[in-house]
Amino acid sequence: MDPDTEVESIFLKEDEMDEEDEEKEKWKRPPSSYGSMKSESDDMEDNVEEKQEAADVVAKLPEPRAPTGTGIQIKDRSESPETLYTMTTQQTKPPGAVVIETSSVDLEDFYEDEEDEEEDEYLITNSPEPPEPIEPDDPMPDENSQPGRLHPEQDLPHIFRNIQSTLSQLSWEEMLKFKSWFYQWEPDLKLNQMHDGDILDFVDRLLEVLGQDRALTHTITSLENINKKPEAEELSNKCKRALMRFRLQQALFRKHQVIREGVIQAGKQNFLDKVFVEPEISTSGCGGIYPTHDLRPPPSPVPVPSPDTFIGLNNLIRLKKDDGAPVRTVVTTGLPGIGMSVCVGKFCLDWAEQRANKDIQFVIKLSFRSLWVLRNKHLPPSQTMSIMEIIEYFHSDCKDVKPFLEEDECKFLIIMDSFDRYQSPLDWENASVINDNDTPAHPDVLVVNIIRGTVLRGARLWILGRRGAVSQIPSKFIDAVTEIQGFNDDMKESYLKNRWQSNTDLGAKILCHFKRLPTLVMAARHPFVCWMVATVFERCYRYRGYGKDPPRLTPFYVNILMVQMNRRLQFYYDKRENELKWSTDDKNLVVQLGRMALKMLEKDTSVFYEDDVREYSLTLNEVAVLCGMCTALPAPAADGRTVYSFIHFTFQEFMAALYVFTMFRTEEKNVLDSGILHMPKIFASKEQTKSIAGLIQCALVRTFNHPLGHFDMFLRFLCGLLSPDCHDNQLCGYLFRQNAPKVGGLDQAQRLLEQTIQKAPPERVDNLKECLREMTQSDE
């Protein structure tokens, strides 16, 4: 054969062999993590071929093969780590690198062959690095994080372990009887779930379906029903801390699940979780009175807290002292109607459903109202009680909680709301000191020692009340003072939307109608006013044609006055719903407050002092705490005196107008007719001061003789009170006697306003039109 031809044939054979190798490689099965479809004989042949190739090529190891496996693919199972590592190795292997196949069954044979190779030859390996461990997002939450961690004896593993241990002691017949009892009282469990699997499966299914608290209590009950009382008692003792928590949770859930607003209507209830909107709460108490006004700023505005001082409701008891130590006593205050009781209910509900503060083992509510009733009605004057007896009196299911509360590491909270309803004077300096939880004492003494910290030493204490009442607590016993500020504009809108989740069309109408009255939007910073807006508009929209005109302001302020006065009678004088009739003293309180408000308007001030209250023969406690229309301010005056004000400057203007109208209607006296005021030229003649037109003319003269905004809102409220809807429908039977004659001469007053609008300066016209609308519009 020609040499050239021979060389050419050799190359042709090599090309054909390369094509065959490529064809084989294309059909070669990739590695699999759970086994290959190849038979064992095929594997043996491959091993022989690999050994021969290893003998010919010294530095080249065999390519990795699929590890021998079961050949079964588990359903819905992700790729195994073996597959992942094999694929990763193939992708990251550089040219010339060798992969050590540790999963091959022929690894020993391969190493025996390699022992014959030269000792100075080394291998290039490129095994993948093991993946870094994945750290959980929050492996160990700190003490202040929410929702907190349960105590180990109240957590799931402890309960699971003890239920499983107790049920393991039962015989087969007893276990069957136990399951029958359990199934009888638990419709959430199906029959096949009760009998499938072993005890571990059964306990796991109980906890999954029922939750740890229900599973534990029903297990104990079912054991007692099958005459296994020793086992039930043993399980109860082992899980006593969890049982105490569960009973407190159930009591708080039943009490606060439904919010009771106004007059309770049968068959109609609102769930707190659905309607609640958390208000702004500040750690910088400024009084809670916002200097908002439709026409001018208040003459004596108070500071407003900055947003960086706001704190969440569930974090109030997680505040820190200046030295970083956790606080013991937190005092929360706010204006009357700001929603302190509702906030307490939401806090308790979140704890009961383990949405927040899970690290607090027990939350015990001791309302000052309940303590006051116990002190005056259920406890003879000579009888005393210890704090533990009082806790057991109000929480009868927690008779065994005392050992836990006295543990040094036990974290529990005592909520004492409505401090203003405990009306007995407390002797902070001379009350006897009590150093344990078992010493009986008078309730007054116990309250002092709880706040001192000598009783229930390990407790966190949360006290709520109106500022005029909580200000008597010595500051040395208080670690933090917070103040509920109310709703911002977004919160007002959220609250009104939450009320009508099932009727969004009605909710949209009410929200739009509400925004047509800017002064009402400002007043709705109080959640109480928001509730009133929702209630009134819902009733009004039942009537055809309502909503064409903007709402009137005066009826809402009349409602605020009436609700606060009626609450005063209920909260502090124990009156029932059918006993809310205003006495002469109640009416005198309203009149004298209005008289003081008018005097403050004339002085151009929005604050008053204790001396001013005495001038009008009123008591400071009645004005600043009980009536719900005034409040104490945190910052004292320059001379150290305590400063007070109305709950809003517009309410002061309303009370002044109410006083003027009341004196005119009941005594036919025009308190605005001083006889010395200059009458502007826009008035053609002076009306008789004893007529309603004369009263309005005196108010107009006073308004025009002062800068814009000084008496303008006062005039609007006075015109609104002239409407029969206000003075005859709303106030009749309370401030005015039944069947009292209606105010006459409204036509003359209406013509006077219309003439004044035509001649008034442009900046006064809008308010005068509102005055006319308040007087004549009748739609509520």
Side-chain angles (χ1 to χ4, degrees):
M1 180 182 294
D2 183 60
D4 293 337
T5 306
E6 184 177 359
V7 172
E8 183 178 356
S9 62
I10 292 173
F11 279 106
L12 289 173
K13 290 181 179 180
E14 289 179 354
D15 292 339
E16 292 175 358
M17 294 176 64
D18 291 340
E19 291 176 0
E20 292 176 1
D21 293 338
E22 290 177 1
E23 189 70 11
K24 292 179 180 180
E25 189 69 21
K26 184 170 65 174
W27 291 97
K28 185 177 180 180
R29 181 178 177 85
S32 171
S33 57
Y34 292 103
S36 171
M37 296 296 291
K38 295 167 62 177
S39 64
E40 294 183 359
S41 60
D42 294 338
D43 289 342
M44 294 177 62
E45 293 176 1
D46 290 345
N47 290 338
V48 172
E49 292 176 1
E50 289 172 1
K51 291 179 182 179
Q52 292 175 355
E53 291 175 2
D56 296 334
V57 184
V58 176
K60 184 177 181 182
L61 291 178
E63 294 187 5
R65 298 181 304 102
T68 305
T70 60
I72 300 175
Q73 176 70 40
I74 300 178
K75 184 179 180 182
D76 295 333
R77 178 165 177 173
S78 60
E79 286 188 326
S80 70
E82 294 90 346
T83 303
L84 178 61
Y85 278 110
T86 304
M87 296 174 64
T88 304
T89 304
Q90 295 292 338
Q91 293 172 359
T92 60
K93 179 181 69 173
V98 176
V99 178
I100 300 176
E101 174 66 15
T102 59
S103 62
S104 174
V105 296
D106 302 320
L107 192 59
E108 295 181 0
D109 296 338
F110 167 74
Y111 279 118
E112 289 177 359
D113 293 339
E114 287 299 310
E115 290 176 356
D116 299 335
E117 303 296 334
E118 298 180 3
E119 295 180 358
D120 59 347
E121 196 166 312
Y122 62 90
L123 300 177
I124 303 174
T125 63
N126 190 45
S127 297
E129 293 293 332
E132 296 183 1
I134 301 175
E135 297 183 0
D137 295 336
D138 192 8
M140 290 291 290
D142 59 63
E143 183 182 356
N144 285 325
S145 63
Q146 290 283 17
R149 288 179 295 173
L150 289 168
H151 187 277
E153 293 183 13
Q154 295 174 333
D155 210 351
L156 180 62
H158 179 80
I159 297 174
F160 181 96
R161 187 164 52 249
N162 283 282
I163 294 179
Q164 184 267 334
S165 175
T166 302
L167 296 184
S168 298
Q169 303 173 20
L170 304 181
S171 64
W172 185 86
E173 292 81 2
E174 292 170 341
M175 190 64 188
L176 184 62
K177 192 175 181 181
F178 171 85
K179 290 182 177 181
S180 300
W181 270 100
F182 209 103
Y183 176 72
Q184 181 178 355
W185 298 106
E186 282 299 343
D188 293 338
L189 288 170
K190 298 179 180 179
L191 189 61
N192 60 341
Q193 292 178 323
M194 300 292 296
H195 297 287
D196 290 348
D198 56 10
I199 292 181
L200 288 176
D201 295 329
F202 175 69
V203 176
D204 184 55
R205 197 169 294 115
L206 292 186
L207 293 168
E208 179 183 357
V209 175
L210 305 179
Q212 58 192 50
D213 299 322
R214 279 179 61 196
L216 176 60
T217 54
H218 285 245
T219 298
I220 294 173
T221 305
S222 298
L223 287 171
E224 293 174 346
N225 290 334
I226 64 171
N227 296 323
K228 285 293 181 179
K229 294 185 178 180
E231 287 81 357
E233 184 177 356
E234 179 185 2
L235 179 59
S236 178
N237 291 332
K238 289 180 179 179
C239 300
K240 184 175 292 185
R241 192 186 300 266
L243 286 173
M244 293 295 103
R245 180 187 181 108
F246 178 55
R247 290 166 185 167
L248 287 170
Q249 287 175 334
Q250 288 294 97
L252 292 174
F253 181 80
R254 288 193 298 267
K255 184 176 181 62
H256 299 292
Q257 180 188 17
V258 176
I259 181 172
R260 294 166 178 82
E261 304 168 304
V263 179
I264 307 300
Q265 300 181 18
K268 185 176 181 181
Q269 59 185 12
N270 287 318
F271 291 99
L272 180 58
D273 277 338
K274 290 186 177 181
V275 301
F276 180 80
V277 175
E278 183 172 322
E280 293 177 342
I281 306 175
S282 173
T283 56
S284 175
C286 298
I289 301 175
Y290 271 59
T292 52
H293 198 275
D294 210 8
L295 300 174
R296 67 153 183 169
S300 306
V302 296
V304 176
S306 59
D308 59 356
T309 64
F310 294 158
I311 185 173
L313 172 63
N314 287 318
N315 293 326
L316 285 176
I317 60 171
R318 297 176 179 270
L319 292 169
K320 298 288 186 180
K321 300 180 185 177
D322 294 337
D323 59 0
V327 298
R328 178 190 184 267
T329 304
V330 177
V331 171
T332 298
T333 184
L335 297 177
I338 206 68
M340 285 182 281
S341 298
V342 180
C343 286
V344 169
K346 178 60 176 174
F347 182 95
C348 294
L349 199 60
D350 285 347
W351 178 81
E353 297 190 335
Q354 297 190 12
R355 293 193 290 254
N357 296 306
K358 292 164 63 175
D359 53 329
I360 300 177
Q361 299 179 35
F362 309 105
V363 171
I364 301 173
K365 188 176 178 183
L366 293 178
S367 171
F368 280 106
R369 174 188 175 276
S370 301
L371 292 174
W372 179 252
V373 172
L374 174 67
R375 175 189 186 275
N376 292 339
K377 294 186 177 181
H378 303 299
L379 192 64
S382 59
Q383 186 177 349
T384 58
M385 295 179 71
S386 69
I387 187 59
M388 293 311 304
E389 290 174 338
I390 289 179
I391 291 176
E392 293 175 5
Y393 178 84
F394 290 113
H395 305 278
S396 57
D397 292 335
C398 299
K399 294 183 179 180
D400 299 326
V401 76
K402 179 178 180 291
F404 301 119
L405 300 186
E406 295 182 343
E407 293 179 357
D408 293 336
E409 300 300 325
C410 183
K411 191 174 181 180
F412 65 101
L413 174 67
I414 304 294
I415 300 179
M416 306 183 74
D417 63 332
S418 305
F419 185 77
D420 44 276
R421 299 180 72 170
Y422 197 89
Q423 302 179 53
S424 175
L426 301 175
D427 191 348
W428 301 99
E429 299 296 332
N430 302 318
S432 58
V433 178
I434 302 176
N435 291 312
D436 61 78
N437 299 331
D438 297 317
T439 301
H442 190 272
D444 293 355
V445 178
L446 285 178
V447 168
V448 171
N449 281 273
I450 292 173
I451 298 176
R452 281 176 179 171
T454 57
V455 171
L456 299 175
R457 292 177 178 270
R460 305 282 181 94
L461 190 60
W462 187 19
I463 300 174
L464 299 98
R466 296 179 179 178
R467 184 173 290 276
V470 299
S471 59
Q472 67 170 292
I473 303 176
S475 58
K476 62 182 178 180
F477 300 138
I478 300 175
D479 297 322
V481 177
T482 58
E483 186 176 69
I484 301 177
Q485 302 295 320
F487 289 162
N488 59 30
D489 290 340
D490 293 337
M491 294 173 183
K492 300 169 191 174
E493 187 170 337
S494 298
Y495 176 82
L496 294 176
K497 287 181 178 179
N498 289 351
R499 301 281 305 195
W500 295 283
Q501 295 180 7
S502 59
N503 191 348
T504 56
D505 292 339
L506 176 61
K509 289 180 182 179
I510 291 176
L511 186 60
C512 182
H513 194 54
F514 161 71
K515 291 181 178 181
R516 298 173 72 182
L517 195 57
T519 302
L520 185 60
V521 175
M522 296 175 191
R525 183 169 182 83
H526 289 56
F528 157 68
V529 178
C530 260
W531 163 76
M532 186 179 298
V533 167
T535 305
V536 171
F537 284 165
E538 182 183 18
R539 182 176 65 249
C540 291
Y541 266 100
R542 295 174 186 169
Y543 301 101
R544 183 179 300 176
Y546 180 79
K548 179 181 179 181
D549 299 317
R552 292 186 298 130
L553 185 63
T554 310
F556 279 98
Y557 277 70
V558 173
N559 277 327
I560 293 174
L561 169 68
M562 295 177 60
V563 171
Q564 295 291 50
M565 286 294 294
N566 289 340
R567 283 185 172 182
R568 163 182 167 271
L569 296 176
Q570 290 177 297
F571 290 174
Y572 307 111
Y573 296 98
D574 297 325
K575 300 293 184 180
R576 297 186 179 91
E577 285 284 347
N578 56 354
E579 298 175 343
L580 300 180
K581 183 179 180 180
W582 293 5
S583 65
T584 303
D585 292 338
D586 300 330
K587 298 176 183 179
N588 182 66
L589 172 64
V590 174
V591 171
Q592 293 304 318
L593 278 175
R595 181 183 169 197
M596 184 174 66
L598 179 62
K599 194 73 172 179
M600 291 166 62
L601 273 183
E602 293 173 346
K603 293 180 178 179
D604 196 20
T605 181
S606 58
V607 297
F608 60 92
Y609 304 93
E610 185 176 358
D611 295 340
D612 301 319
V613 175
R614 292 175 180 173
E615 181 181 345
Y616 298 99
S617 304
L618 299 174
T619 62
L620 185 63
N621 185 62
E622 189 74 61
V623 172
V625 179
L626 307 187
C627 74
M629 292 172 278
C630 302
T631 183
L633 300 180
D639 56 2
R641 293 185 297 171
T642 304
V643 184
Y644 304 91
S645 75
F646 284 88
I647 56 176
H648 195 268
F649 186 52
T650 55
F651 198 76
Q652 175 185 331
E653 295 170 308
F654 166 76
M655 292 299 296
L658 181 63
Y659 166 70
V660 172
F661 175 76
T662 302
M663 296 302 294
F664 180 83
R665 189 179 188 192
T666 58
E667 300 183 16
E668 297 183 353
K669 182 179 179 180
N670 186 351
V671 297
L672 299 179
D673 184 21
S674 59
I676 59 174
L677 292 176
H678 170 70
M679 182 174 294
K681 295 181 180 180
I682 63 173
F683 301 109
S685 62
K686 185 175 180 180
E687 298 284 348
Q688 294 293 325
T689 58
K690 294 297 180 71
S691 67
I692 195 66
L695 179 67
I696 293 300
Q697 181 167 324
C698 291
L700 286 168
V701 170
R702 197 169 284 242
T703 301
F704 280 91
N705 280 335
H706 287 82
L708 179 65
H710 196 140
F711 277 94
D712 293 77
M713 191 63 70
F714 161 83
L715 176 64
R716 187 188 301 184
F717 283 125
L718 181 59
C719 294
L721 288 168
L722 295 178
S723 170
D725 287 333
C726 290
H727 72 256
D728 193 55
N729 295 340
Q730 290 181 283
L731 290 171
C732 190
Y734 293 95
L735 187 58
F736 307 121
R737 62 181 177 85
Q738 291 280 5
N739 301 321
K742 296 181 181 180
V743 175
L746 292 180
D747 294 340
Q748 297 177 2
Q750 180 179 344
R751 285 194 300 269
L752 177 63
L753 279 176
E754 291 172 348
Q755 294 171 5
T756 307
I757 291 173
Q758 295 175 1
K759 302 176 182 179
E763 66 273 11
R764 303 274 188 178
V765 171
D766 289 341
N767 187 67
L768 290 173
K769 290 180 178 179
E770 286 296 311
C771 294
L772 183 61
R773 190 175 65 84
E774 290 281 341
M775 182 190 298
T776 58
Q777 182 175 312
S778 177
D779 50 14
E780 273 83 21

